[in-house]
């Protein structure tokens, strides 16, 4: 029986929940579940952007800086145009993210610069641009429309737990990506390029357009993540917004069963990977783990999930070899 790629993340979610519930029953309290659901949206959106990039053997480490830059830029627009509708702020965030994604796409696809080198460079450049916009200041709560911040407080209530509108917004790119990967020619091309780009090119598939699309998509998702970040926290500091988010997103995607060698993966696994990271993040606080130990414990759980997934991958490869 083959171990599914999503199996590691799903098994780890169940294991961590069971262990946390035994240790601290209030882990399943409405307040704790609210914290998990509040932590998820930004990571979900950014991971949904990162996933097809990794499937094509690439990587985008600039997404954290993209989130920070778009959050600050949209905050500035909201501050200077108080009457602007919330929908317009989201449109600006998406457009800004798309433009930043185009920079990565241009350098990777037509500049032939390796993805990791490109996005390390743009990660620094985008963060620097955020500092230039900030000029030592930050976007304060008074600058952000209350209609935007309300999205992080209001939503669908069920048994005392609130699924905020942020979570609903985050579900949109996840569902859209899952559908595109499963049902469209573009989705099949993404997997073909990730499996063997040379063979994909020989089959007449447009590899360059596919790669450009996934980097622009990553930028769009990070742009959406920036607006959700602004909405959730109600303020933006250019020095801290989105910092290390790229590492969490990459970890969630890989833990969710998307191999860094590309060519495989599913959105279900990525969602499970994000849920695992959210549960661990919130669970460590609920369990009373000291702040100094939380980062170490967080890293250990991620490493365990990666090792288990790697062992599962070897089992799958062995199964293919035997077949």
């Amino acid at each position: 029986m083959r171990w599914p790629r999503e199996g590691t993340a799903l098994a780890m979610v169940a294991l961590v929940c069971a262990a946390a519930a035994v240790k601290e029953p209030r882990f399943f309290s409405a307040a704790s579940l609210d914290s998990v659901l509040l932590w998820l949206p930004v990571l979900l959106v950014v991971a949904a952007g990162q996933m097809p990039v990794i499937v094509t053997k690439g990587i985008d480490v600039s997404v954290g800086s993209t989130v920070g830059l778009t959050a600050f830029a949209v905050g500035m627009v909201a501050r200077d145009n108080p009457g602007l509708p919330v929908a317009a702020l989201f449109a600006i965030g998406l457009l800004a993210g798309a433009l930043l994604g185009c920079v990565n796409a241009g350098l990777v696809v037509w500049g032939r610069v390796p993805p990791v080198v490109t996005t390390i460079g743009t990660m620094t450049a985008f963060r620097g641009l955020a500092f230039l916009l900030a000029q030592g200041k930050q976007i304060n709560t008074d600058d952000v429309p209350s209609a935007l911040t309300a999205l992080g407080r209001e939503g669908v209530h069920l048994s005392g737990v609130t699924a905020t509108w942020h979570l609903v917004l985050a579900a949109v790119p996840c569902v859209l990506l899952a559908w595109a990967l499963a049902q469209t020619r573009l989705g099949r091309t993404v997997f073909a390029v990730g499996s063997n780009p040379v063979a994909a090119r020989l089959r007449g598939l447009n590899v360059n357009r596919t790669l450009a699309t996934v980097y622009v998509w990553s930028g769009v998702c990070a742009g959406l993540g920036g607006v959700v970040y602004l909405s959730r926290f109600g303020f933006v500091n250019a020095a801290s917004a989105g910092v290390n988010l790229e590492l969490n997103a990459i970890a969630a995607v890989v833990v969710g069963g998307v191999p860094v060698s590309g060519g495989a993966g599913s959105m279900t696994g990525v969602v499970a990977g994000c849920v695992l990271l959210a549960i661990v993040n919130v669970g460590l606080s609920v369990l009373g783990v000291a702040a100094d130990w939380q980062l170490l414990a967080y890293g250990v759980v991620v490493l365990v999930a990666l090792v288990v997934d790697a062992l599962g991958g070897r089992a799958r490869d062995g199964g293919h070899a035997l077949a």
Side-chain angles (χ1 to χ4, degrees):
M1 180 179 175
R2 292 182 60 193
W3 179 251
R5 293 190 179 278
E6 303 84 357
T8 301
L10 293 171
M12 288 292 293
V13 168
L15 185 64
V16 171
C17 285
V22 169
K23 180 73 175 175
E24 179 53 76
R26 68 186 174 92
F27 176 75
F28 282 115
S29 67
S32 296
L33 295 177
D34 274 342
S35 297
V36 171
L37 296 181
L38 194 62
W39 200 87
L40 265 176
V42 175
L43 179 61
L44 266 178
V45 171
V46 177
Q50 189 75 235
M51 187 258 189
V53 174
I54 294 180
V55 169
T56 58
K57 298 182 187 291
I59 195 165
D60 186 353
V61 297
S62 69
V63 288
S65 295
T66 302
V67 167
L69 176 55
T70 54
F72 200 92
V74 172
M76 288 180 65
V77 171
R79 180 191 62 196
D80 298 339
N81 304 273
L84 212 58
V86 168
L89 298 177
F90 274 100
I92 293 169
L94 293 173
L95 180 60
L99 291 174
L100 298 176
C102 284
V103 174
N104 285 332
L107 290 170
V108 170
V109 177
W110 292 283
R112 303 293 182 189
V113 183
V116 66
V117 176
T118 293
T119 55
I120 286 176
T122 53
M123 174 182 69
T124 307
F126 295 165
R127 183 65 62 183
L129 187 54
F131 279 124
L132 283 176
L133 289 177
Q135 295 290 309
K137 300 176 182 177
Q138 69 174 23
I139 300 298
N140 296 310
T141 306
D142 294 341
D143 301 325
V144 183
S146 57
L148 184 62
T149 55
L151 298 177
R153 299 189 302 271
E154 300 171 356
V156 180
H157 304 280
L158 184 63
S159 300
V161 179
T162 302
T164 66
W165 296 123
H166 285 169
L167 199 60
V168 176
L169 283 169
V172 173
C174 295
V175 172
L176 184 61
L177 178 63
W179 171 79
L181 291 176
Q183 302 294 331
T184 68
R185 177 182 172 84
L186 175 61
R188 292 189 289 274
T189 305
V190 167
F191 285 113
V193 170
S195 297
N196 190 329
V198 175
R201 205 179 295 276
L202 290 174
R203 287 170 54 196
L205 300 177
N206 194 327
V207 175
N208 285 353
R209 186 172 63 190
T210 304
L211 292 176
T213 301
V214 297
Y215 281 96
V216 173
W217 167 258
S218 180
V220 169
C221 288
L224 175 60
V227 185
V228 174
Y229 181 98
L230 174 67
S231 173
R232 177 191 169 189
F233 293 101
F235 72 94
V236 183
N237 186 309
S240 59
V243 170
N244 291 334
L245 183 56
E246 64 278 355
L247 301 180
N248 285 334
I250 293 168
V253 171
V254 177
V255 167
V258 180
V260 291
S261 55
S266 72
M267 199 58 225
T268 303
V270 174
V271 172
C274 292
V275 171
L276 173 63
L277 297 192
I279 288 174
V280 171
N281 191 282
V282 174
L284 290 174
S285 298
V286 174
L287 294 175
V289 176
D292 293 342
W293 287 90
Q294 287 188 12
L295 190 58
L296 175 61
Y298 186 78
V300 168
V301 172
V302 172
L303 285 174
V304 168
L306 291 174
V307 169
V308 172
D309 186 63
L311 293 175
R314 290 181 186 175
R316 285 191 293 271
D317 294 341
H320 282 304
L322 290 174

